[in-house]
Amino acid sequence: MLRNCIKTLQYSINGARKSPHRSVVQIRQCSSASERFELTTDELFEQFKDKIRYSSFVENQILKLGYRRNKILESRLEKARRDHITHQARARPFPIALEQLYGERIQEPSPVDAEESEEVVDYFPYQKLIRKIEHAPVEDLPEDVAPSTGQWMSDYEYYEEDEDDDRQSLYGTPDPKEPVSNVPCGGCGALLQCAEPSISGYLPSQLFKNRSKQQLMTSICQRCHFLKNYNTAINITVSPEDYIEMISSIRNKKALVLLLVDLLDFPCSIWPGLSDILGPERSIIVVGNKVDLLPRDCSGYLDNIRNNLTKTFLEAGFTKNNIKHVSLISATTGYGVEQLITKIHNVWGVRGDVYLVGCTNVGKSSLFNALLRSDLCKVKASDLVQRATACPWPGTTLKMLKFPILRPSDYRLYLRSKRLQSERVILAEEEKLRRHQARSTGSPQFATLIGHIGQTFAAEKAQTSDHFSVSQNSGGGAAPILTLNEKSDDYINSKWCYDTPGVVQPEQITNLLTTDELLLTLPKQMIRPRAYLMKTGLTLFLAGLGRLDYIEGPESTRVLLYASPNLPTLICDTEHASEIYRNFLGTDYLRVPRAGPERLAKWPALQAGPDILLCGEEKHISVADVVLSSAGWISINLSADSEAVFRAWTPERRGIFVRQPALLPFGMRLRGKRIRGSLAYRDGDAFVKQ
């Protein structure tokens, strides 16, 4: 792999405009139906270069000449070495995980086999796969066939290894005869059990049996353990019917719903028919998450986003009486969370429970963890409720996690407002400094929205239990409380905040992606829009996830692409688009989905939605967004009194929407300079410098 990276850089320095990755193989169908042959991407590009108008992959291979060339070469070589070392040191999957994924027993490979094997197993985190796993009794299996877990559970607090029988101590075996406990997992909320690994909340029998309830309450299930420690997702089947049934239980309750939406993936992250499921009288606070990843196209861009989000929910069947407030937050950076808590206190108080509802990957678990360490949670309980497992994979929250809500009395609200007022001055100075750094450096790092989540009554927590007290540690006093007893006088009359499960929306394409592809598709930092000059008869590909055809209209128009920078783009003539897509799918020119005959065989074909007719309103203003499911969206700019027809394509025609007005109508202000002789513009800014 390192040799290939070096070869890539050498080709780039020589100014080659073709792909240097000769190691990537593209398999395509020849004119003869039975004959197949292999072409390197070099040869493939040479064959189709006259039909390709622009490729971001090719553009990125051309290094800038001048004094920066050696510096760029050195940094990329160093990165290649680090990636190579990381790849070699990456932990391989463990047999019990493979057993659960494939429904069969897999013998642990020897060290030699592990080093020589380069086979990559596709795992679809968002795909609902139903597999029945048959478990033979362990005593009936030969010793060399019995599954071994290695040392993966050795860091559990109550796991005791048997020094006399090492083989038995390393087992992670189920016990179908053991009943399910009533103790929830501290990571996902599922009830702990050791009967069936394919059911949520599974713990190996060695860690489950003969454990007290107190010990189980400090444990997490096998799935959460893998997610937290090894970044490996174990497939658990959760049906949409169960999700709908669980959400429907809120309908007849007096409760407030915090309805989370991914601002990078709406309306695809809004469950269809949710207004009917929750009921017409349900009080809702719409929470748009991941606002820190959206670029700043103007000073009032947050108001534009809020208005667009409100319009989308009204079109989805909700009424203005349902929607009590629309909040824009970042559960990762903490931006807007304090304002959300204040709105919950003012709008709802403690009239009923609060439910966090939303599709997968909208950030429910992250927001739950943020609220847990805020003024919304009772002080005594904030350290007794384990943090929810937060990771990129869906289905993380399988059953309902909850924490008790602090009663917002007038005096407490006064103390909270005093704290927020005193912090406002500090936050204003920090924002001023960050604004200055953003203008001087141009880095989106300083333009990212950041907030602070504090606790007004944290001092009370220290008085309730002193873990360093002499009386407690010497046995002379009561032992410190380490778990939350819902039946105690402190919580029996409390209202609760629940974190509900998520489900994949039918319009999302995330369940078609493997883990590696998913990580490439999801943006991790503020998006820089990519600008292109589209001419009639051209097609713009966004990786292998979608395409946009410019069918009819003015001779040329500008479009802006909002998507992860890891997804390449390719522009070609529409008449050759299907042929180019078929041949370049699986190469670095489209990148997602990745290469491999087996992987590409599972990939569904792109299907076109209905033609989109748009009318121009004002110069340099985006008139609409064409949403390409969860991959991103393309903003269209048209001059006044002009009309244009576009056609969008996605796998299985999923998630093709037209958003009017555009989410970021002034995005053209962020574009860079036009690349000479190209249809693309240079990378622009992620924010308008003011």
Side-chain angles (χ1 to χ4, degrees):
M1 187 181 77
L2 184 59
R3 187 182 301 110
N4 291 334
C5 294
I6 296 174
K7 184 183 296 183
T8 299
L9 298 177
Q10 291 172 344
Y11 268 87
S12 300
I13 293 174
N14 293 331
R17 298 189 63 90
K18 58 185 180 179
S19 169
H21 288 272
R22 298 185 180 271
S23 59
V24 180
V25 176
Q26 169 71 16
I27 302 177
R28 71 179 186 89
Q29 187 69 35
C30 298
S31 56
S32 174
S34 59
E35 182 184 3
R36 301 183 67 90
F37 60 90
E38 297 180 352
L39 292 175
T40 66
T41 51
D42 274 343
E43 299 167 343
L44 190 64
F45 181 74
E46 285 294 329
Q47 180 177 345
F48 289 94
K49 67 179 182 179
D50 295 335
K51 301 176 182 178
I52 296 176
R53 299 292 191 92
Y54 171 81
S55 171
S56 63
F57 174 73
V58 174
E59 190 70 36
N60 291 335
Q61 305 309 308
I62 303 174
L63 297 177
K64 296 180 181 179
L65 300 179
Y67 73 96
R68 296 186 59 190
R69 183 175 60 186
N70 293 334
K71 183 178 180 181
I72 295 174
L73 174 62
E74 182 180 352
S75 62
R76 291 193 178 183
L77 285 175
E78 181 61 28
K79 183 179 184 300
R81 294 189 185 97
R82 289 199 306 268
D83 293 344
H84 181 69
I85 295 173
T86 303
H87 177 76
Q88 295 296 329
R90 187 177 299 166
R92 55 187 173 83
F94 294 90
I96 194 166
L98 297 178
E99 176 185 349
Q100 188 158 343
L101 287 173
Y102 298 105
E104 59 185 11
R105 299 190 179 278
I106 300 178
Q107 187 174 1
E108 186 174 11
S110 63
V112 176
D113 295 336
E115 293 178 359
E116 294 179 353
S117 176
E118 296 181 355
E119 181 181 0
V120 179
V121 179
D122 290 334
Y123 176 71
F124 297 85
Y126 284 80
Q127 193 175 52
K128 182 180 183 298
L129 302 177
I130 301 177
R131 297 187 179 95
K132 185 176 180 181
I133 303 176
E134 301 291 343
H135 292 282
V138 175
E139 54 269 21
D140 296 340
L141 294 174
E143 180 175 342
D144 57 344
V145 179
S148 171
T149 63
Q151 299 287 345
W152 67 272
M153 299 294 278
S154 60
D155 57 344
Y156 262 50
E157 183 177 359
Y158 297 105
Y159 183 70
E160 298 177 358
E161 296 187 353
D162 188 354
E163 297 180 355
D164 297 331
D165 188 354
D166 185 72
R167 179 180 63 85
Q168 289 290 339
S169 67
L170 297 180
Y171 271 3
T173 53
D175 186 354
K177 299 180 182 179
E178 191 72 11
V180 179
S181 72
N182 59 355
V183 179
C185 167
C188 66
L191 296 180
L192 295 176
Q193 51 89 19
C194 69
E196 177 55 57
S198 64
I199 300 177
S200 57
Y202 171 75
L203 265 179
S205 59
Q206 285 77 7
L207 298 173
F208 181 88
K209 297 170 65 174
N210 301 322
R211 302 299 177 188
S212 65
K213 182 178 180 181
Q214 193 80 2
Q215 292 172 330
L216 289 178
M217 291 180 73
T218 61
S219 302
I220 59 176
C221 69
Q222 169 192 305
R223 184 172 187 264
C224 291
H225 179 86
F226 269 82
L227 289 173
K228 284 187 173 182
N229 294 280
Y230 305 109
N231 211 31
T232 301
I234 299 177
N235 186 43
I236 300 292
T237 57
V238 179
S239 66
E241 292 77 13
D242 293 339
Y243 170 80
I244 295 176
E245 182 180 357
M246 181 172 293
I247 300 302
S248 299
S249 63
I250 308 175
R251 185 183 182 93
N252 299 324
K253 295 181 180 179
K254 189 175 183 180
L256 173 70
V257 171
L258 301 183
L259 190 49
L260 266 74
V261 180
D262 185 354
L263 292 176
L264 304 180
D265 189 21
F266 83 93
C268 295
S269 59
I270 303 175
W271 182 259
L274 187 59
S275 59
D276 297 330
I277 297 175
L278 295 175
E281 304 299 327
R282 178 64 50 228
S283 297
I284 294 172
I285 292 181
V286 176
V287 182
N289 192 23
K290 305 182 183 180
V291 68
D292 58 310
L293 301 181
L294 289 175
R296 302 185 182 189
D297 65 331
C298 65
S299 57
Y301 80 109
L302 291 179
D303 293 332
N304 293 335
I305 296 172
R306 187 178 289 106
N307 295 335
N308 203 309
L309 189 59
T310 303
K311 180 177 179 294
T312 301
F313 269 91
L314 294 178
E315 294 173 351
F318 294 90
T319 65
K320 293 184 178 180
N321 293 330
N322 294 122
I323 303 174
K324 304 302 180 183
H325 180 66
V326 177
S327 180
L328 304 180
I329 71 163
S330 170
T332 303
T333 66
Y335 176 82
V337 176
E338 287 283 17
Q339 291 78 2
L340 174 62
I341 296 171
T342 300
K343 185 59 64 173
I344 294 175
H345 286 159
N346 296 337
V347 170
W348 190 249
V350 287
R351 286 184 286 171
D353 297 329
V354 177
Y355 290 83
L356 274 65
V357 176
C359 294
T360 55
N361 201 43
V362 296
K364 293 189 305 299
S365 294
S366 298
L367 180 59
F368 180 87
N369 291 335
L371 297 177
L372 181 60
R373 59 178 186 270
S374 72
D375 286 341
L376 192 66
C377 177
K378 282 193 173 182
V379 177
K380 294 181 180 180
S382 60
D383 282 344
L384 302 181
V385 180
Q386 296 187 44
R387 304 300 195 262
T389 305
C391 67
W393 290 277
T396 302
T397 305
L398 302 176
K399 295 292 178 68
M400 290 189 177
L401 289 169
K402 63 179 181 179
F403 64 78
I405 299 175
L406 180 68
R407 184 179 182 84
S409 62
D410 293 340
Y411 177 67
R412 291 186 174 184
L413 290 178
Y414 168 75
L415 293 180
R416 171 177 165 78
S417 63
K418 293 289 288 183
R419 176 182 68 83
L420 294 178
Q421 185 177 2
S422 63
E423 292 177 353
R424 193 173 295 119
V425 178
I426 301 176
L427 294 176
E429 290 297 324
E430 291 181 355
E431 179 63 22
K432 183 178 179 181
L433 175 61
R434 291 177 59 82
R435 194 182 303 116
H436 172 73
Q437 292 174 320
R439 284 197 300 263
S440 59
T441 64
S443 173
Q445 173 187 356
F446 301 109
T448 303
L449 298 175
I450 295 179
H452 172 71
I453 305 173
Q455 286 183 297
T456 308
F457 317 105
E460 297 181 5
K461 178 173 59 177
Q463 297 174 1
T464 57
S465 120
D466 184 1
H467 299 291
F468 297 95
S469 163
V470 175
S471 60
Q472 291 183 4
N473 289 282
S474 61
I481 301 175
L482 300 178
T483 57
L484 189 150
N485 182 8
E486 300 178 22
K487 298 182 180 180
S488 67
D489 295 337
D490 293 329
Y491 309 113
I492 192 170
N493 295 320
S494 296
K495 304 302 180 183
W496 299 82
C497 178
Y498 291 90
D499 180 19
T500 66
V503 67
V504 176
Q505 216 261 37
E507 298 293 340
Q508 294 176 314
I509 60 172
T510 49
N511 63 327
L512 302 176
L513 304 178
T514 64
T515 303
D516 294 336
E517 296 163 355
L518 183 65
L519 295 177
L520 292 173
T521 305
L522 299 178
K524 300 297 187 299
Q525 52 186 308
M526 185 179 288
I527 296 176
R528 290 176 180 264
R530 288 176 273 178
Y532 301 96
L533 184 67
M534 290 290 290
K535 298 183 178 181
T536 52
L538 293 185
T539 291
L540 170 65
F541 281 102
L542 174 58
L545 304 178
R547 78 182 235 197
L548 182 70
D549 300 343
Y550 186 15
I551 300 176
E552 185 181 347
E555 182 181 355
S556 64
T557 186
R558 296 187 183 97
V559 299
L560 285 170
L561 172 64
Y562 297 87
S564 170
N566 298 316
L567 298 180
T569 56
L570 187 147
I571 300 177
C572 65
D573 295 322
T574 302
E575 58 180 324
H576 304 302
S578 299
E579 181 184 10
I580 289 177
Y581 181 80
R582 183 172 60 253
N583 284 275
F584 283 88
L585 190 66
T587 68
D588 285 335
Y589 291 91
L590 296 180
R591 196 170 189 183
V592 177
R594 62 179 178 81
E598 295 182 1
R599 173 70 187 108
L600 298 181
K602 301 177 182 178
W603 186 252
L606 296 183
Q607 297 182 18
D611 290 353
I612 302 170
L613 174 63
L614 299 176
C615 300
E617 297 178 358
E618 188 177 347
K619 190 176 182 180
H620 300 314
I621 301 295
S622 299
V623 296
D625 295 333
V626 179
V627 180
L628 301 177
S629 191
S630 305
W633 70 93
I634 300 176
S635 292
I636 310 298
N637 287 260
L638 293 172
S639 58
D641 301 327
S642 62
E643 293 184 350
V645 179
F646 296 86
R647 182 179 298 145
W649 303 62
T650 57
E652 299 176 346
R653 204 183 293 114
R654 296 191 188 189
I656 299 177
F657 294 98
V658 178
R659 245 180 352 216
Q660 283 185 303
L663 186 64
L664 301 169
F666 302 98
M668 269 297 162
R669 299 177 180 177
L670 303 175
R671 75 182 188 277
K673 294 182 178 180
R674 175 89 175 272
I675 300 175
R676 181 177 298 180
S678 173
L679 297 174
Y681 291 77
R682 298 191 184 277
D683 291 340
D685 299 323
F687 59 96
V688 176
K689 298 179 181 180
Q690 299 174 347

